[in-house]
Each structure stands twice: as C-alpha cells, then as structure tokens.
Amino acid sequence: MKSIKNVMFVVIAVLSSLMCVAQPLEPVQWSTSVESLGNSQYKISFKASVEHPWHIYDMGPYEVGGPMATTFTAEENSAVKFEGAWEPSKEATREQNEVYGMEIGYYEGDVTFSHVLIISGISESMISIRLRQRLLVTQQRDHFLQLLRIAASL
C-alpha cells in the first residue's frame, strides 16, 4: 500500500512540474489579408503578432545545421502565379548565435509577410499556404515547431 502511495506521489509531482513549465498554446497569432492591385494582381499578406518574450526566425535561408527559417509553401494551383519573393514588413534583428555558430535573424512583436500573386482564368480562387515556423523564447533555449495551414480567399 505504501508503494502505491509513493508511485502516485511521483506521478502527481511529475505532472505538476510539467504544468508549471508548460509553454503557451499559441504565442504567435496569425491573420491574413488580400489586397487587389488591379490587372489580376493581388497582394496576399500574413501578419504575425508574436507575444513577448517569444520570437520567430526570419526567412533565412540557412545552411545545414542552422535554425529552421520561417517558410511559406503554397499548394499547386495552375490559376495562381507567385511574382517575386515574400517580403517582410521590417528588417529582422540579426545577431551572432553561439549555438548555431552563425549570424541569424529573428522577429519580435508584429511582422507582416507579403507576396504578389497573379490570378489567371478565374474570378475567384482559394489559396492554401502552409506556414512553418520555429518559435523561441528570447534569451532562452526553449523552442517548438509550429506548422499551420492558412487559407485566404482572393
């Protein structure tokens, strides 16, 4: 009987400690917008609102062994052509990182990533974009990967 109490005590202690160090469920909130530019061109934007003390990596690219950059990947759609590259609304904070042994960039607070699209042959379309980001707490090593699928109507 005493051993069952000891086991239960250990289980409760472990679960309690996990709850104390639990990370927020969504330290980054994403919103989307679409702006018509005329001539079948649209500007699609994804705004990240990053809670303090979290931040997200910039879009890189980084060499093998570096951090996982924030990426946007669109599903195949023959009616949609992406023009140019994704453009962030502000410069990333850049600093030498001892863990990766290279200079890395990251965003804190609000940042918007935008891209120009050309839609052909249809009046409306649904774009599905997969977002991959790695979140980390400023000045700590805690991080986790977040994969999101974001859809926007054009």
Side-chain angles (χ1 to χ4, degrees), residues 90-103:
K90 65 182 182 181
E91 290 291 320
T93 300
R94 301 201 63 80
E95 59 186 39
Q96 187 67 26
N97 183 285
E98 293 175 19
V99 173
Y100 294 114
M102 65 180 70
E103 184 179 84

Side-chain angles (χ1 to χ4, degrees), residues 40-42 44 80-82 115-119 127 154:
S40 300
Q41 291 188 353
Y42 295 85
I44 188 168
V80 178
K81 179 182 176 191
F82 284 78
H115 205 298
V116 174
L117 312 173
I118 299 175
I119 307 297
I127 294 278
L154 302 178

Side-chain angles (χ1 to χ4, degrees), residues 8-145:
M8 290 302 291
F9 175 76
V10 170
V11 168
I12 290 171
V14 169
L15 290 176
S16 296
S17 67
L18 288 176
M19 290 171 53
C20 290
V21 296
Q23 298 172 350
L25 293 178
E26 293 193 35
V28 179
Q29 299 295 317
W30 287 93
S31 60
T32 62
S33 64
V34 178
E35 173 188 356
S36 176
L37 303 176
N39 293 332
S40 300
Q41 291 188 353
Y42 295 85
K43 180 175 162 182
I44 188 168
S45 299
F46 296 88
K47 180 181 178 184
S49 296
V50 184
E51 290 180 19
H52 180 76
W54 293 87
H55 60 260
I56 60 175
Y57 286 123
D58 66 358
M59 297 185 74
Y62 295 104
E63 57 193 60
V64 175
M68 184 185 332
T70 297
T71 59
F72 297 89
T73 307
E75 291 183 353
E76 287 292 321
N77 186 334
S78 61
V80 178
K81 179 182 176 191
F82 284 78
E83 284 289 307
W86 287 95
E87 296 290 333
S89 61
K90 65 182 182 181
E91 290 291 320
T93 300
R94 301 201 63 80
E95 59 186 39
Q96 187 67 26
N97 183 285
E98 293 175 19
V99 173
Y100 294 114
M102 65 180 70
E103 184 179 84
I104 61 167
Y106 61 88
Y107 300 103
E108 296 177 316
D110 293 344
V111 60
T112 302
F113 300 92
S114 300
H115 205 298
V116 174
L117 312 173
I118 299 175
I119 307 297
S120 61
I122 55 174
S123 59
E124 290 186 13
S125 183
M126 179 66 88
I127 294 278
S128 181
I129 306 254
R130 190 178 91 175
L131 162 67
R132 190 164 106 166
Q133 67 186 8
R134 176 153 282 168
L135 309 170
L136 45 165
V137 176
T138 305
Q139 299 177 346
Q140 292 184 16
R141 301 290 180 241
D142 299 338
H143 64 275
F144 65 94
L145 173 67

